[in-house]
Amino acid sequence: MAAFGRMLLYVACVVVMLSKMAAAASSAKPNCPNWCGNVEIPYPFGTTENCYLNDNYFINCSNSQPLWENHFVTNISIQGELEISMFIARQCFRDSSGVPVVDNNKHSLTSRTFTISNTKNQFVAVGCDTYAYLNAYRNNEYFRIGCMSICQSLRNVVNASCSGIGCCHVDIPTGLKNFTLEVHSYNNHTNVSKFNPCSSAFMIKQDYESKFSSAYLEEILLKPNDTFPMVLDWAIGNETCETGRRKPDYVCGQNSACYDSKNGDGYRCKCNKGYEGNPYLHEGCQDINECLQVPKPCHAKAKCMNTHGSFSCTCREDYKGDGKMNGTGCSPKVSHFKIIIIALIAISIGLMVLFVGGSSLYCGLKRRKLFKLKEKFFQQNGGLLLQQKLSNDRTSMQAVKIFSIGELEKATNNYDESRVLGQGSYGTVYKGVLQDNKLVAIKKSKFCDQNQIEQFINEVIVLSQINHRNVVKLLGCCLETEVPSLVYEFITNGTLSNHIHDKVLSSSLSWEKRLKIAIDTAGALAYMHFSTSMPIIHRDVKPANILLNDNYSAKVSDFGASRLVPLDQTQLLTLVQGTLGYLDPEYFHSSQLTEKSDVYSFGVVVAELLTGRKAISFDGLEIDRNLAMYFSSAVKEDRLRQILVDDLVSDGNIYEINKVANLVKRCLSVKGEDRPTMKDMAMELDGLRSMEKHQSGKAYLCTEETDYCVTAPAVHYFNIGVNDGCSSTSTSTTVGYKISMRTQVSKPLDDDR
Ligand SMILES: *[C@@H]1O[C@H](CO)[C@@H](O)[C@H](O)[C@H]1NC(C)=O
Ligand SMILES: *[C@@H]1O[C@H](CO)[C@@H](O)[C@H](O)[C@H]1NC(C)=O
Ligand SMILES: *[C@@H]1O[C@H](CO)[C@@H](O)[C@H](O)[C@H]1NC(C)=O
Ligand SMILES: *[C@@H]1O[C@H](CO)[C@@H](O)[C@H](O)[C@H]1NC(C)=O
Ligand SMILES: *[C@@H]1O[C@H](CO)[C@@H](O)[C@H](O)[C@H]1NC(C)=O
Ligand SMILES: *[C@@H]1O[C@H](CO)[C@@H](O)[C@H](O)[C@H]1NC(C)=O
Ligand SMILES: *[C@@H]1O[C@H](CO)[C@@H](O)[C@H](O)[C@H]1NC(C)=O
Ligand SMILES: *[C@@H]1O[C@H](CO)[C@@H](O)[C@H](O)[C@H]1NC(C)=O
Ligand SMILES: *[C@@H]1O[C@H](CO)[C@@H](O)[C@H](O)[C@H]1NC(C)=O
């Protein structure tokens, strides 16, 4: 729990991104597809009937690739640009015969409505025996522009500069709607085909020069239909704002303004200041909540209020100024003088009033101050953020509860000492009783890093959604104290550490119970590693963090030091954290955190269960102090029986104990890659239990063994689609026994909700 404040950047990023994506409004018409392939299609464009403004804005998406007038669309911006792929006109010669091997020397673009962007495109011709031109119409008059390039070697060609040697370019006039581009050679490349076989011409988005190099001239560009991106300016209709606005089909929506297109006809729409979204939709422009922006628009001592299209800042009571970050901000009021006068008047009005009303006044003031303090802490601790996330996400709303400070004080009888369950460097754990008589454990941390609050909030949400019977459930948190408190479900029977090392308790810990505890723990860890939306590494697996309930079900607790790992990330470089004796030596040396570190710690825990020895003991020979080494060498040298807990071995179980000991030895491998995964461990251990049931003669019937069946841990990854009940499939035989192995769980995974 020491690292409550220290949080998980990766998760935070992912969660924030996801929530942003979810929150972003669609830019298509309601109920219309917003994407075609990986291109966003904003209204007035659309891919299906009634989704586009008129035929000019139709995008053909029948092959999941956006096509506009037979050209591939690569980007559509709401600011009025349509980026398409335009063919390259090209003519190539291989020898001096004069017969071109590639002859695509003419391409045209026909646009009835949109205009070729004159600012974003250039017409470019490349080659050493080349001339190219562009035929076009403007105001129904034909015109032709073009350029030529002749060179005899590559010596004078300057890279990244379309300078006229090997490459020439022409600017595009405004108002151009359709064109044909053509490329030709003077001498069929007769004397240059060795280093420049092709002439080519194309329209291209203006970043061409950065791509141009002498290598272009040398390349034999034989690919039949290469394209380059070019930009069209789109607008609505062929009228100005002034006339468009008076028409019934005027498209600009609420909170938007109209402006005339600079290149070609028609008008465009734009959201007003303080709004964002698609201005072409009726309710497309949505208010921007400036209060949530980074950097914050208001001073730290001011309260931010979002208004339609704007925001306001109000300094707190004892501060003055306009509160805006760009304005005067907030500064403390210099009103000591006033306070003194008021105080003097108050005194002179009468000590009597003070006497009579004194006590009640004092109480009132104190309560008020306390209230303000609570509010301050709540905000500091990310309360607003959490509330916002919760309201965005219904499922976590049920999972996390935000407790008030009063509720927790009442639950713990004002943090009474008799309620303390445990204490450590991280803080104190109290037993609490909620109003509905539910028992809870309340973890009050000592410190918290204010910079990590957002990540902290995200972890609260992630952990509280985990609902596994062998993981202690996080019920909620309280943010009104200086350092946040966390509320967990209460586990009745104390820690596993206590049960192993207490003489009386350990004597009632039979082999079956020990095996069950190992299985439960393995199941919980396998679940955290493999079945959550993102792998979660515990980092501090030890008996003190495993709690038992009355029927010896184990529950893994204290994910305070845990790390959530994004799926594409198998190793994390971290500050080494954990408990000596349980700490993975590989992780200790390399700081590379993987799931295998938990596997090592789990191995030590099971070794402790088998031997009853502490992970580090200070009696005996030095070489035997480390339980992991002691245990591994005992198994290797076949001395296992000597180190087991007294009375553990009985006739029936030595096979199982041996099997478990060998599994533990693999977990304790020095190299992480030699260790099994938690999934393997859970499977192997569970197999043993099934065998035990079989051996003891009980018929394996799901309906009877509800505890085992309904929510059996660890085996959920067998889930292969059947989840309508319990069924068992027998799979393999070992040492003559038929092992029946359960292959699915009856309950859908909790995190799938
Ligand atoms: C869309 O393009 C496909 C070919 O890619 C064509 O067969 C189909 O007719 C087009 N649909 C429309 C509505 O133009
Ligand atoms: C599309 O164009 C917009 C605006 O010009 C730009 O911000 C965005 O990065 C482009 N998207 C792609 C995929 O090129
Ligand atoms: C180029 O080739 C054509 C035949 O394709 C030929 O008629 C013409 O004379 C050639 N020109 C030169 C300069 O070689
Ligand atoms: C381009 O448009 C003009 C009318 O503005 C038309 O006469 C001409 O044929 C068109 N050119 C092509 C190649 O479509
Ligand atoms: C131009 O770039 C090409 C590769 O892009 C390189 O081989 C050539 O040497 C460069 N020429 C000059 C003059 O920098
Ligand atoms: C090709 O080069 C030769 C020798 O340099 C020259 O005589 C001939 O006229 C050139 N041909 C053309 C078509 O330029
Ligand atoms: C290349 O483009 C031209 C003109 O758009 C077209 O006629 C031709 O069929 C295309 N060739 C291939 C191989 O796609
Ligand atoms: C404007 O567009 C309408 C139809 O969209 C057309 O009837 C009209 O002739 C166009 N006007 C001009 C000046 O191009
Ligand atoms: C504050 O001013 C800067 C530059 O003067 C500007 O870039 C920034 O957007 C302004 N911030 C707000 C919140 O108005």
Side-chain angles (χ1 to χ4, degrees):
M1 203 48 58
F4 242 125
R6 192 175 307 153
M7 299 301 316
L8 323 150
L9 208 62
Y10 294 110
V11 195
C13 287
V14 169
V15 171
V16 167
M17 262 166 56
L18 287 179
S19 63
K20 270 192 186 150
M21 265 163 73
S26 165
S27 61
K29 225 170 150 174
N31 303 323
C32 288
N34 197 191
W35 293 86
C36 178
N38 50 13
V39 178
E40 191 177 0
I41 311 290
Y43 189 77
F45 291 88
T47 55
T48 52
E49 219 177 310
N50 296 327
C51 286
Y52 45 90
L53 181 62
N54 60 45
D55 289 350
N56 296 329
Y57 305 89
F58 169 63
I59 301 289
N60 185 341
C61 194
S62 59
N63 289 335
S64 314
Q65 261 187 318
L67 271 179
W68 176 83
E69 307 250 345
N70 295 326
H71 289 271
F72 284 116
V73 175
T74 50
N75 196 357
I76 303 179
S77 86
I78 203 78
Q79 286 79 31
E81 285 177 356
L82 174 69
E83 195 179 299
I84 59 169
S85 294
M86 181 65 200
F87 293 115
I88 302 175
R90 188 185 291 144
Q91 197 173 35
C92 298
F93 299 84
R94 204 168 329 254
D95 50 35
S96 54
S97 69
V99 181
V101 287
V102 172
D103 200 2
N104 278 332
N105 72 334
K106 259 189 196 180
H107 284 295
S108 45
L109 179 90
T110 333
S111 161
R112 273 166 287 142
T113 38
F114 301 156
T115 317
I116 320 296
S117 170
N118 62 310
T119 52
K120 293 278 170 80
N121 301 307
Q122 273 192 335
F123 172 61
V124 178
V126 174
C128 272
D129 175 15
T130 303
Y131 65 96
Y133 44 77
L134 187 119
N135 302 315
Y137 290 85
R138 193 185 187 212
N139 300 329
N140 283 328
E141 269 177 40
Y142 172 78
F143 72 92
R144 170 185 276 194
I145 54 175
C147 67
M148 60 172 273
S149 157
I150 293 189
C151 39
Q152 262 148 33
S153 71
L154 297 179
R155 229 174 311 147
N156 293 319
V157 174
V158 183
N159 280 350
S161 143
C162 188
S163 64
I165 302 180
C167 174
C168 63
H169 62 91
V170 180
D171 288 343
I172 310 296
T174 55
L176 204 62
K177 291 214 163 157
N178 60 8
F179 65 81
T180 305
L181 44 90
E182 264 181 62
V183 67
H184 299 278
S185 69
Y186 291 105
N187 292 317
N188 302 340
H189 283 242
T190 307
N191 279 358
V192 297
S193 67
K194 276 204 190 65
F195 64 90
N196 171 230
C198 297
S199 286
S200 50
F202 41 86
M203 190 71 97
I204 187 170
K205 237 171 105 180
Q206 250 175 6
D207 53 357
Y208 176 69
E209 293 206 351
S210 62
K211 289 183 187 164
F212 178 74
S213 75
S214 55
Y216 256 89
L217 290 170
E218 289 183 284
E219 262 174 55
I220 305 184
L221 304 161
L222 283 180
K223 275 189 279 170
N225 275 345
D226 267 350
T227 59
F228 276 130
M230 66 167 283
V231 180
L232 297 173
D233 284 331
W234 61 267
I236 305 290
N238 55 11
E239 286 149 337
T240 59
C241 283
E242 211 179 341
T243 31
R245 209 176 270 133
R246 280 187 252 119
K247 294 269 175 83
D249 56 1
Y250 177 65
V251 294
C252 298
Q254 287 174 359
N255 303 314
S256 74
C258 180
Y259 65 103
D260 292 331
S261 168
K262 288 201 182 74
N263 178 22
D265 306 322
Y267 62 85
R268 290 174 176 173
C269 315
K270 190 177 167 185
C271 284
N272 290 338
K273 192 159 175 276
Y275 293 85
E276 64 187 356
N278 184 343
Y280 297 93
L281 291 170
H282 181 57
E283 287 180 346
C285 293
Q286 298 288 323
D287 177 43
I288 298 173
N289 190 343
E290 288 87 354
C291 294
L292 299 179
Q293 279 180 338
V294 179
K296 292 213 156 79
C298 292
H299 191 269
K301 295 279 187 265
K303 201 171 184 167
C304 182
M305 276 270 289
N306 185 36
T307 60
H308 283 293
S310 184
F311 65 97
S312 66
C313 305
T314 322
C315 286
R316 295 202 175 166
E317 231 162 58
D318 31 358
Y319 288 86
K320 62 176 181 159
D322 67 3
K324 293 207 167 131
M325 220 56 169
N326 272 3
T328 60
C330 295
S331 50
K333 274 183 190 165
V334 265
S335 56
H336 301 296
F337 186 61
K338 265 190 200 162
I339 291 169
I340 289 166
I341 289 182
I342 290 167
L344 284 175
I345 291 170
I347 289 165
S348 60
I349 278 176
L351 291 163
M352 228 162 71
V353 177
L354 216 85
F355 256 54
V356 176
S359 59
S360 66
L361 193 72
Y362 172 76
C363 285
L365 279 176
K366 194 169 169 187
R367 211 175 297 136
R368 190 190 154 99
K369 198 170 156 194
L370 215 61
F371 178 76
K372 278 193 159 177
L373 203 63
K374 269 159 55 177
E375 198 177 41
K376 178 179 143 208
F377 289 145
F378 185 72
Q379 288 187 2
Q380 245 176 32
N381 291 333
L384 296 178
L385 188 72
L386 183 60
Q387 273 178 344
Q388 192 198 340
K389 290 219 161 133
L390 292 185
S391 64
N392 283 349
D393 181 355
R394 291 265 158 69
T395 55
S396 51
M397 184 141 64
Q398 293 154 4
V400 201
K401 181 168 185 233
I402 303 185
F403 290 90
S404 75
I405 196 168
E407 275 173 291
L408 295 195
E409 272 170 1
K410 210 164 159 193
T412 54
N413 197 8
N414 244 330
Y415 296 104
D416 195 79
E417 280 200 13
S418 65
R419 297 294 188 89
V420 172
L421 292 171
Q423 217 154 7
S425 56
Y426 54 82
T428 314
V429 183
Y430 294 89
K431 178 177 176 176
V433 189
L434 295 184
Q435 235 161 12
D436 54 1
N437 283 335
K438 192 172 182 177
L439 284 177
V440 292
I442 295 168
K443 194 159 276 183
K444 212 177 162 205
S445 304
K446 276 186 188 151
F447 53 83
C448 168
D449 183 350
Q450 287 298 327
N451 297 325
Q452 308 273 353
I453 279 304
E454 181 160 1
Q455 289 97 309
F456 164 74
I457 295 295
N458 282 319
E459 197 186 50
V460 167
I461 290 178
V462 171
L463 289 182
S464 64
Q465 280 169 326
I466 286 165
N467 196 355
H468 188 278
R469 69 192 283 267
N470 298 115
V471 176
V472 176
K473 180 145 179 55
L474 177 64
L475 300 174
C477 57
C478 171
L479 304 169
E480 289 175 355
T481 45
E482 184 166 5
V483 168
S485 305
L486 294 174
V487 181
Y488 291 91
E489 87 180 287
F490 182 75
I491 311 298
T492 44
N493 217 354
T495 69
L496 175 60
S497 177
N498 203 14
H499 281 262
I500 295 179
H501 301 295
D502 182 285
K503 272 204 182 105
V504 181
L505 289 174
S506 79
S507 65
S508 63
L509 214 51
S510 66
W511 164 242
E512 286 74 21
K513 283 175 185 159
R514 287 175 201 251
L515 180 61
K516 178 169 160 47
I517 290 165
I519 292 172
D520 285 354
T521 309
L525 291 173
Y527 177 85
M528 302 305 273
H529 288 180
F530 293 100
S531 302
T532 50
S533 53
M534 202 171 291
I536 301 173
I537 300 177
H538 189 292
R539 296 216 284 179
D540 200 9
V541 177
K542 57 182 178 183
N545 280 340
I546 296 170
L547 304 178
L548 298 180
N549 71 9
D550 285 338
N551 56 7
Y552 290 93
S553 270
K555 294 201 178 232
V556 179
S557 82
D558 208 349
F559 281 90
S562 66
R563 281 229 165 212
L564 296 93
V565 185
L567 285 172
D568 56 2
Q569 195 110 16
T570 52
Q571 295 191 326
L572 274 174
L573 222 56
T574 63
L575 280 174
V576 172
Q577 210 177 344
T579 305
L580 221 59
Y582 302 94
L583 191 63
D584 170 11
E586 189 180 58
Y587 166 46
F588 182 75
H589 288 300
S590 66
S591 297
Q592 297 271 323
L593 181 63
T594 68
E595 284 106 334
K596 293 294 178 65
S597 305
D598 279 357
V599 176
Y600 182 89
S601 309
F602 175 74
V604 181
V605 170
V606 181
E608 199 167 332
L609 263 171
L610 289 175
T611 60
R613 292 173 66 110
K614 296 207 157 142
I616 300 264
S617 59
F618 291 102
D619 41 63
L621 293 171
E622 186 164 357
I623 194 160
D624 293 341
R625 283 184 184 166
N626 182 310
L627 176 58
M629 278 155 68
Y630 175 70
F631 189 87
S632 295
S633 64
V635 174
K636 207 186 289 168
E637 293 157 16
D638 218 8
R639 305 187 267 113
L640 179 65
R641 263 188 115 125
Q642 298 164 22
I643 65 166
L644 294 176
V645 180
D646 298 343
D647 303 331
L648 190 66
V649 180
S650 67
D651 286 346
N653 65 13
I654 187 64
Y655 166 75
E656 288 165 22
I657 292 178
N658 266 325
K659 183 103 199 257
V660 171
N662 277 303
L663 285 172
V664 168
K665 186 170 155 264
R666 281 173 62 204
C667 291
L668 297 177
S669 302
V670 175
K671 277 193 182 163
E673 62 201 58
D674 297 339
R675 298 173 203 152
T677 63
M678 251 2 270
K679 206 148 114 174
D680 300 337
M681 282 303 289
M683 231 160 81
E684 297 267 7
L685 289 171
D686 209 55
L688 280 178
R689 175 158 65 176
S690 307
M691 189 175 80
E692 186 174 88
K693 301 229 171 229
H694 190 88
Q695 268 179 306
S696 61
K698 280 183 207 160
Y700 181 70
L701 265 180
C702 296
T703 44
E704 286 172 13
E705 281 288 332
T706 44
D707 175 34
Y708 181 30
C709 239
V710 174
T711 53
V715 281
H716 48 253
Y717 35 78
F718 282 143
N719 195 341
I720 32 178
V722 203
N723 63 8
D724 54 346
C726 294
S727 66
S728 59
T729 319
S730 58
T731 49
S732 66
T733 38
T734 316
V735 288
Y737 295 110
K738 189 157 192 208
I739 297 180
S740 91
M741 215 150 107
R742 300 182 4 80
T743 57
Q744 48 85 51
V745 271
S746 55
K747 228 166 84 174
L749 277 182
D750 294 312
D751 67 335
D752 287 341
R753 284 176 306 152

